[in-house]
Amino acid sequence: MPTKDDATALPDGSVPASDDVPPERRRRLLRGLVGLTLVVLVIDQLTKVWAVHALEPRERTALLGDLFGLQLVRNPGAALSIATGMTWVLTIVAVVVVVVIARVSRRIGSGSWAVALGLLLGGALGNLADRLLREPGPLRGHVIDFLAYGRLFVGNVADIAIVVAAGLIVWLTARGVHVDGTRDERHDEERTVEVDAPGSAA
């Protein structure tokens, strides 16, 4: 049956309402989520300001040979320059993502989900700020990319945060951990079987 993060079983296999999370714990998790969001956003924007002033457009500076380097690119599209010419659509999508994350975070009851959503929100806001504030204008701004991975693609700090968040979300989902801190019954039963299996550590 679903359980909370502290592995306390819930009656009748029901998923608890978000109100079951103690208010102080939710406030602490929200503060952590917001704090991580701001850290990612500030680092992303500061590194982009540095890249714009320190790097020459399209000129590659090798740091690890051909594997990794610095290369300033103003990207009007998404990752891998997909959807170039549809910057305003990507801006709207980014706004929707930010709103959804903000709404979901109100049910936060898991520390791991707070980290995942904080990284995701910080990354989304970092690239959204570029769309809104950079040239050629609001909703059409180009994202600053400068971290060159081989000859595959060029990204930024916001992209790293988004990728890490996506991996963490997949991992939490696979483990059956929900945003509100509850766990799926199936995963709790598997964990109980492992603990009670012959030869398992006490």
Side-chain angles (χ1 to χ4, degrees), residues 125-159:
L125 287 173
N127 285 336
L128 178 59
D130 287 9
R131 304 284 186 198
L132 295 175
L133 302 176
R134 294 190 182 277
E135 297 178 352
L139 300 182
R140 298 177 293 111
H142 295 177
V143 172
I144 301 299
D145 291 332
F146 62 95
L147 301 175
Y149 301 91
R151 301 295 175 180
L152 299 176
F153 63 94
V154 182
N156 53 47
V157 173
D159 296 334

Side-chain angles (χ1 to χ4, degrees), residues 173-176 183-192:
T173 302
R175 292 185 62 207
R183 298 174 183 270
D184 287 340
E185 177 180 358
R186 176 173 59 87
H187 294 276
D188 289 322
E189 291 176 346
E190 291 175 353
R191 183 171 58 182
T192 300

Side-chain angles (χ1 to χ4, degrees), residues 36-65:
L36 182 56
T37 296
L38 292 177
V39 167
V40 171
L41 178 59
V42 169
I43 293 176
D44 175 69
Q45 290 300 303
L46 288 179
T47 53
K48 286 174 177 175
V49 170
W50 170 84
V52 169
H53 288 85
L55 302 177
E56 292 295 330
R58 299 289 177 178
E59 183 177 314
R60 183 185 178 94
T61 301
L63 297 180
L64 293 176

Side-chain angles (χ1 to χ4, degrees), residues 10-124:
L10 300 176
D12 304 324
S14 60
V15 176
S18 58
D19 289 342
D20 286 353
V21 179
E24 179 55 35
R25 172 174 170 78
R26 174 171 288 113
R27 286 193 293 268
R28 186 168 62 250
L29 290 172
L30 282 173
R31 285 195 297 267
L33 188 158
V34 172
L36 182 56
T37 296
L38 292 177
V39 167
V40 171
L41 178 59
V42 169
I43 293 176
D44 175 69
Q45 290 300 303
L46 288 179
T47 53
K48 286 174 177 175
V49 170
W50 170 84
V52 169
H53 288 85
L55 302 177
E56 292 295 330
R58 299 289 177 178
E59 183 177 314
R60 183 185 178 94
T61 301
L63 297 180
L64 293 176
D66 292 334
L67 296 179
F68 180 73
L70 301 176
Q71 181 178 348
L72 179 61
V73 175
R74 297 179 184 272
N75 183 6
L80 304 179
S81 296
I82 297 173
T84 298
M86 300 180 63
T87 306
W88 66 273
V89 175
L90 297 174
T91 303
I92 294 175
V93 170
V95 171
V96 172
V97 169
V98 169
V99 172
V100 170
I101 296 173
R103 289 179 60 86
V104 170
S105 66
R106 294 186 300 179
R107 299 190 293 110
I108 198 71
S110 163
S112 297
W113 271 101
V115 172
L117 293 179
L119 290 171
L120 185 58
L121 184 57

